[in-house]
Amino acid sequence: MPVYLKCPVVSQESLTPTHFLLKLKAEEICHQGLPGMFVMIQCWEPGTADPFLPRAFSICDYEKPAIEIFYKTWGIGTYWMTRLKPGDTVHLFGPLGKRFDLSPYTHRILIGGGTGIAPLVALTRFISEQKITVILGAKTQDELFFENTFRERGATVLLATEDGSRGHCGLPTEILNELIQREKSESLHITGCGPLPMLQKIWETAERAKILCQLAIESPMACGVGACLGCTDPFWGIKTCTEGPVVSNYSPP
Ligand code: FES
């Protein structure tokens, strides 16, 4: 059951001028939360109620009794979040949404771009005994995040940058295509997060090759509990908050 919490800020780290990692003490979320799920954060100064609607964020990692939120600044709510410091308090609601499939598979391929990689970090904490390949994509090497965390959890990490500053020069989906040509489809499971065009390519590739695939999709949200229809995704035709954010091309156990 999702809960309303007042969470003390444990730490706030600036990874680039626009990317931040916020750690919040949230023991109840750690007890109930699983990778792929998200929380709604009320991003307002006490007494202002602006912005009125809470913002949805994937849970990037579980460091009991704290959770980590990886975010990029893009509006009034996230700029408010950048000013949080240890000792401040955040109001949140969660955990919400569907989680990733945690079943054992012969080879897991995790592919992510931009801040979309956040839920993949949490996933590697729960499937660390499996063979994992993580493909990270970004515009430039300064926006490749959590590479060391993935390696420390036993994953092979492959990198792609659009400007060629690190790893493969091009898109992470190009690495994915090469990888799946070398392995039998039935031994693979793909998990993807990131920008919509990338997710659509991953989905089409998985369908064509008959590979089990799950994606964590992103939509603007208002209520987070299926009541407002504000998060309906036109491509997958679902309410992202309750029927997602994880979508699958198979019926997960
Ligand atoms: Fe209201 Fe999903 S955010 S229905």
Side-chain angles (χ1 to χ4, degrees), residues 4 40 53-54 93 96 221-231 241:
Y4 284 99
M40 303 290 286
L53 296 172
F93 178 57
L96 296 161
M221 292 190 195
C223 71
V225 293
C228 71
L229 301 183
C231 64
C241 64

Side-chain angles (χ1 to χ4, degrees), residues 110-114 116-117 120 134-138 144 172 191-195 198 202:
L110 279 46
I111 174 167
I117 63 169
L120 299 183
V134 176
I135 307 170
L136 296 179
L144 292 166
T191 310
C193 315
M198 187 185 98
I202 297 170

Side-chain angles (χ1 to χ4, degrees), residues 19 70 112-118 136-139 143 145-146 193-195 198:
H19 294 81
F70 174 53
T115 51
I117 63 169
L136 296 179
K139 283 195 167 54
E143 296 183 2
F145 300 102
F146 303 108
C193 315
M198 187 185 98

Side-chain angles (χ1 to χ4, degrees), residues 104-119:
Y105 292 98
T106 309
H107 185 181
R108 289 248 191 186
I109 299 175
L110 279 46
I111 174 167
T115 51
I117 63 169

Side-chain angles (χ1 to χ4, degrees), residues 132-197:
I132 306 167
T133 300
V134 176
I135 307 170
L136 296 179
K139 283 195 167 54
T140 182
Q141 62 176 339
D142 295 342
E143 296 183 2
L144 292 166
F145 300 102
F146 303 108
E147 180 187 347
N148 289 340
T149 304
F150 288 125
R151 289 194 204 282
E152 284 161 17
R153 295 181 186 176
T156 300
V157 180
L158 305 172
L159 306 173
T161 50
E162 288 176 30
D163 65 359
S165 52
R166 187 106 192 275
H168 169 73
C169 180
L171 301 173
T173 45
E174 291 162 3
I175 300 180
L176 175 69
N177 288 338
E178 273 180 33
L179 205 56
I180 63 178
Q181 278 170 13
R182 284 191 255 132
E183 295 207 31
K184 289 201 177 85
S185 301
E186 59 269 24
S187 67
L188 296 175
H189 182 286
I190 300 173
T191 310
C193 315
L196 181 61

